[in-house]
Amino acid sequence: MRGIFALFLTISLYGAESFITKEEYASGLYHNPRGIGCHLCHGEGGEGKLIARYRDKGEMKTFAGAPINKITFRDFYDKVNSQIVGMPRYYLTDTEIQTLYYYLHREEFKRAAQKPRKAQ
């Protein structure tokens, strides 16, 4: 009986390690960080998105989510941790912010990882 339990524990711990990929976690976080997904205002790829057009004192105005896929990590980090009008506060951890940035730049990270290193 102990042997079966030990085998089950070993298999379950091994399986837990590969439960979800980094891409799946990043996509889930981007689409539902704490209720309202980033994609609803910033678009699927962070390119920015028109949210509404409205009239204010006779003048047509727009409300849009800013593009976030071309900014540096430092700017991204600062903006996520700022109080920006119209943007919900998510209170994300540093790891979650890094994961969101990875999601927006994952193709760049993959290309960089595939480049051969220069000999020194």
Side-chain angles (χ1 to χ4, degrees), residues 24-95:
E24 290 169 331
Y25 174 63
S27 176
L29 192 59
Y30 187 75
H31 289 91
N32 191 6
R34 304 273 193 276
I36 299 171
C38 307
H39 68 291
L40 295 174
C41 298
H42 297 287
E44 281 300 322
E47 67 279 359
K49 186 175 177 181
L50 177 66
I51 300 167
R53 295 180 196 273
Y54 62 98
R55 187 174 305 276
D56 181 34
K57 298 177 186 171
E59 182 182 339
M60 283 303 295
K61 295 189 176 185
T62 60
F63 182 69
I68 56 173
N69 61 348
K70 302 284 186 211
I71 61 177
T72 65
F73 177 74
R74 174 52 48 199
D75 287 342
F76 183 78
Y77 184 88
D78 290 344
K79 288 180 188 302
V80 169
N81 286 312
S82 308
Q83 290 185 334
I84 298 172
V85 173
M87 184 168 155
R89 288 297 304 265
Y90 291 110
Y91 302 98
L92 301 170
T93 66
D94 288 351
T95 301

Side-chain angles (χ1 to χ4, degrees), residues 11-21:
I11 291 170
S12 65
L13 290 176
Y14 176 76
E17 190 175 12
S18 62
F19 175 70
I20 187 170
T21 67

